[in-house]
Amino acid sequence: NADKTKVNSLIDEIGKLRTESRKEQVNTHLKIRALLTENQKIIFDEHYSGRGGQMGNGYRHNRN
């Protein structure tokens, strides 16, 4: 039998770690974005949209 208190404590800890990780991802995204030109921001944002903040599978836009 599982210790319900221990399981709930581990679930809370996992949630806390995920939250902290996501905050760091967003912070890094904003720092990088601040360095880009307007056109670069569009491309950068397209890579992050719809992917939960994760980069795509190596797909790159070819914009001239």
Side-chain angles (χ1 to χ4, degrees), residues 12-52:
D12 290 341
E13 182 65 21
I14 290 168
K16 179 180 163 187
L17 292 170
R18 285 184 176 163
T19 299
E20 290 301 315
S21 175
R22 184 66 182 131
K23 287 179 181 180
E24 285 297 319
Q25 289 174 349
V26 169
N27 189 38
T28 300
H29 177 90
L30 294 174
K31 284 180 181 179
I32 292 170
R33 198 172 184 281
L35 301 172
L36 304 176
T37 66
E38 289 304 314
N39 285 338
Q40 290 171 328
K41 286 178 185 179
I42 292 169
I43 296 167
F44 186 72
D45 290 345
E46 285 176 355
H47 280 284
Y48 277 87
S49 67
R51 292 184 178 90

